[in-house]
Amino acid sequence: MDQPISGSTSESVRANASRGRAVVLRVRGVVLPEREERSFWIDEDRLRTEPVPDAETVVDGGWLLPGLVDVHTHPGTEALDAPFSDDTLRRHLTDHRDAGVLLVRTPGSAARIPGWVHEDAELPRVHPGGRWLATPGRFLPGFGRDVSEAELARAAVEEATASSGWCKVVADWRYDEPALSVEVLTGVVRAVHAAGGRVAAHCQTAEGSRNAVLAGVDSLEHGMHLDPGLIDRMAAQGTAFVPTLAVFGAGAGARRSEEPSGRRDWWLAGWDALLPTVRAAHEAGVTVLAGTDSFPCGTVMSEVEWLARAGLPPETALGAASWTARSWLGLPGLTDGGPADLVAYDTDPTLPPSARAHPSRIILRGRVVA
């Protein structure tokens, strides 16, 4: 995790000057979610509140918020027949960055995120979650890491340890087949938590969502058939909800036009209940977060719009893709010593979607990228 640099701003600026580094930048605007006008000085990749003479002002007015966050995205491949590639990964992450998404969590991937991603100052910060972990028959064969139920807990610890502390378990797959049992998932959660990690669970069936919540997973991904009776338990134990509404919403029309079938009817029943469930989760105190699970990358604002449509207050929906997501991942917002990752808007981005179509300024790791 990033750590604040030591020493005062002035000391750091003098050190930078002696080494010929770039001038300190200044930004000013109304900070969200506090809605207070503030100025920050950007020293390397950190925000500072101590004024620096002769700093270059790059944002003067408008609205400031921490860089956008997509907590459920799978960069690196776009199709089942397309192998994971560094070129595709770079393109996807660049698309995120250009939309103001400066931090992504990848809960499951066809391959572990390579080290060069974390070293490239031009790319968003990445919180990887290792490879998808799936037991036989519960995922796309060979697309993640296939393990037996007996091996799952050990594999989950391995993936969490090799990533940012996260692992991703496919808790269910087909609507008409059993989900992973509570006992197996509980063993995974206990093992990963003992190692200091966290567990994300792919869940779309009622059984899979139930078992994942009862096992105490840290994030429920999708949750299409989540029983509202489990929401209070999620709030009490701190299980976050990442409903990925936009990707489901985009496919709803096509589903309705299909011939009736067990799968179609199951899918539509889950979709029709999902928005009310998301609203109920928010009202109960569950942390609801924005994740896209779709392509093209860089579309997290569409998820913000869906969260607002589900009934989250506009500012809460926006926070799900910014300050709330960062806090949940253990990162500060716009504060002294925090990472200099921010986006600026000319008008209040909690207003209708046109107000947040695209940031007027994007600053990543202390550098203006747009």
Side-chain angles (χ1 to χ4, degrees):
M1 185 175 295
D2 302 305
Q3 299 293 327
I5 58 177
S6 59
S8 70
T9 300
S10 298
E11 292 170 345
S12 186
V13 169
R14 285 195 294 270
N16 290 349
S18 69
R19 291 191 286 268
R21 292 181 180 172
V23 66
V24 171
L25 305 179
R26 173 180 174 266
V27 297
R28 180 185 70 84
V30 176
V31 172
L32 289 174
E34 295 85 355
R35 292 186 174 271
E36 299 175 354
E37 184 174 283
R38 296 181 189 169
S39 289
F40 294 98
W41 286 261
I42 298 174
D43 179 14
E44 293 190 334
D45 68 345
R46 296 287 147 180
L47 296 173
R48 294 300 180 188
T49 55
E50 180 183 343
V52 176
D54 302 320
E56 177 184 349
T57 299
V58 292
V59 178
D60 194 11
W63 300 76
L64 307 176
L65 62 153
L68 302 179
V69 183
D70 189 332
V71 301
H72 189 124
T73 181
H74 303 296
T77 184
E78 294 179 346
L80 299 182
D81 57 352
F84 184 95
S85 77
D86 285 2
D87 288 344
T88 303
L89 177 61
R90 182 180 296 278
R91 174 167 56 82
H92 285 166
L93 291 176
T94 300
D95 289 344
H96 275 305
R97 181 204 66 195
D98 291 347
V101 177
L102 307 183
L103 173 64
V104 301
R105 183 184 67 136
T106 62
S109 177
R112 290 178 181 163
I113 300 297
W116 61 260
V117 169
H118 307 291
E119 300 168 0
D120 193 328
E122 300 292 328
L123 297 178
R125 303 178 197 264
V126 178
H127 278 228
R131 291 171 287 180
W132 284 287
L133 291 167
T135 53
R138 289 196 178 94
F139 198 49
L140 305 165
F143 206 64
R145 180 178 174 183
D146 299 315
V147 296
S148 68
E149 291 189 5
E151 299 170 321
L152 186 57
R154 176 182 56 80
V157 170
E158 290 174 356
E159 294 299 323
T161 302
S163 67
S164 63
W166 278 96
C167 67
K168 169 76 169 292
V169 176
V170 180
D172 58 27
W173 193 236
R174 288 181 55 88
Y175 78 98
D176 55 354
E177 293 183 354
L180 277 175
S181 70
V182 175
E183 292 75 19
V184 169
L185 282 170
T186 299
V188 169
V189 171
R190 287 175 177 168
V192 173
H193 284 183
R198 294 201 277 179
V199 180
H202 165 102
C203 301
Q204 288 185 216
T205 69
E207 182 189 16
S209 297
R210 171 187 174 276
N211 293 353
V213 172
L214 295 182
V217 300
D218 298 283
S219 70
L220 188 72
E221 313 292 320
H222 313 304
M224 182 182 262
H225 286 264
L226 172 65
D227 179 356
L230 294 166
I231 287 174
D232 286 343
R233 179 163 183 149
M234 291 175 66
Q237 67 191 21
T239 297
F241 190 12
V242 188
T244 62
L245 296 174
V247 69
F248 289 131
R255 288 284 185 181
R256 293 192 194 282
S257 67
E258 293 177 1
E259 291 293 324
S261 67
R263 178 174 176 79
R264 169 192 177 273
D265 296 346
W266 165 84
W267 195 98
L268 289 175
W271 168 244
D272 290 342
L274 189 53
L275 268 66
T277 301
V278 169
R279 178 173 181 170
H282 161 69
E283 292 175 346
V286 173
T287 299
V288 178
L289 299 170
T292 58
D293 191 30
S294 63
F295 300 103
C297 293
T299 60
V300 76
M301 278 302 184
S302 66
E303 184 68 12
V304 170
E305 294 168 21
W306 273 102
L307 292 175
R309 193 180 305 182
L312 273 65
E315 189 163 306
T316 302
L318 182 60
S322 180
W323 57 86
T324 302
R326 286 179 175 271
S327 176
W328 182 71
L329 289 169
L331 292 174
L334 300 184
T335 186
D336 186 61
D341 300 339
L342 63 90
V343 289
Y345 291 86
D346 292 332
T347 56
D348 184 348
T350 66
L351 295 175
S354 59
R356 55 178 180 266
H358 196 277
S360 57
R361 182 74 76 197
I362 301 170
I363 298 175
L364 171 64
R365 304 176 196 266
R367 302 174 63 185
V368 176
V369 297

